[in-house]
Coordinates of all heavy atoms in Angstrom, one line a residue:
K200 N 243.7 20.5 157.9 CA 243.5 20.6 159.4 C 242.5 21.8 159.8 O 242.0 21.7 160.8 CB 244.8 20.8 160.1 CG 245.7 19.6 159.9 CD 247.1 19.8 160.6 CE 247.9 18.6 160.6 NZ 248.4 18.3 159.1
D201 N 242.5 22.8 159.0 CA 241.8 24.0 159.4 C 240.4 24.0 159.0 O 239.6 24.9 159.2 CB 242.5 25.3 158.8 CG 242.5 25.2 157.2 OD1 242.5 24.1 156.7 OD2 242.5 26.2 156.6
R202 N 239.9 22.9 158.3 CA 238.5 22.8 157.9 C 237.8 22.1 159.0 O 238.1 21.1 159.5 CB 238.4 22.0 156.6 CG 239.2 22.8 155.4 CD 238.9 22.2 154.1 NE 239.7 22.7 153.1 CZ 239.7 22.4 151.8 NH1 238.9 21.5 151.4 NH2 240.5 23.0 150.9
P203 N 236.5 22.5 159.2 CA 235.7 21.9 160.3 C 235.3 20.5 160.0 O 235.3 20.0 158.8 CB 234.4 22.8 160.3 CG 234.8 24.1 159.6 CD 235.8 23.7 158.6
L204 N 235.2 19.7 161.1 CA 234.7 18.4 161.0 C 233.3 18.3 161.0 O 232.7 18.6 162.1 CB 235.4 17.5 162.1 CG 234.8 16.1 162.3 CD1 235.0 15.3 161.0 CD2 235.5 15.4 163.5
S205 N 232.6 18.1 160.0 CA 231.1 18.2 160.0 C 230.6 16.8 160.5 O 231.2 15.7 160.3 CB 230.7 18.3 158.5 OG 229.2 18.1 158.5
T206 N 229.5 16.8 161.2 CA 228.9 15.6 161.7 C 227.9 15.1 160.6 O 227.3 14.0 160.9 CB 228.1 15.8 162.9 OG1 227.2 16.9 162.8 CG2 229.1 16.3 164.0
G207 N 227.7 15.8 159.5 CA 226.7 15.3 158.5 C 227.3 14.6 157.4 O 228.5 14.5 157.3
P208 N 226.5 14.0 156.5 CA 227.0 13.3 155.3 C 227.7 14.1 154.3 O 228.5 13.5 153.6 CB 225.7 12.7 154.7 CG 224.7 13.6 155.2 CD 225.0 14.1 156.5
A209 N 227.7 15.4 154.4 CA 228.4 16.2 153.4 C 229.9 16.1 153.7 O 230.7 16.3 152.7 CB 228.0 17.7 153.6
M210 N 230.3 15.7 154.8 CA 231.7 15.5 155.1 C 232.3 14.3 154.3 O 233.4 14.5 153.7 CB 232.0 15.2 156.6 CG 233.5 15.1 157.0 SD 234.4 16.6 156.8 CE 236.0 16.0 157.0
A211 N 231.6 13.3 154.0 CA 231.9 12.2 153.3 C 232.2 12.6 151.8 O 233.1 12.2 151.1 CB 230.9 11.1 153.3
Q212 N 231.3 13.5 151.3 CA 231.4 14.0 149.9 C 232.6 15.0 149.9 O 233.3 15.0 148.8 CB 230.2 14.8 149.6 CG 228.9 13.9 149.6 CD 227.6 14.7 149.3 OE1 227.7 15.9 149.1 NE2 226.5 14.1 149.4
A213 N 232.9 15.7 150.9 CA 234.1 16.6 150.9 C 235.4 15.8 150.8 O 236.4 16.4 150.3 CB 234.1 17.5 152.2
A214 N 235.4 14.6 151.2 CA 236.6 13.7 151.2 C 237.0 13.5 149.7 O 238.1 13.1 149.4 CB 236.5 12.4 151.9
A215 N 236.1 13.7 148.7 CA 236.4 13.6 147.4 C 237.6 14.5 147.0 O 238.3 14.1 146.0 CB 235.2 13.9 146.5
G216 N 237.8 15.5 147.7 CA 239.0 16.4 147.5 C 240.3 15.7 147.6 O 241.3 16.1 147.1
A217 N 240.3 14.6 148.4 CA 241.5 13.9 148.6 C 241.7 12.7 147.5 O 242.8 12.2 147.4 CB 241.5 13.2 150.0

Side-chain angles (χ1 to χ4, degrees):
K200 297 181 178 65
D201 59 335
R202 300 187 184 182
L204 169 60
S205 172
T206 58
M210 184 62 191
Q212 298 174 3

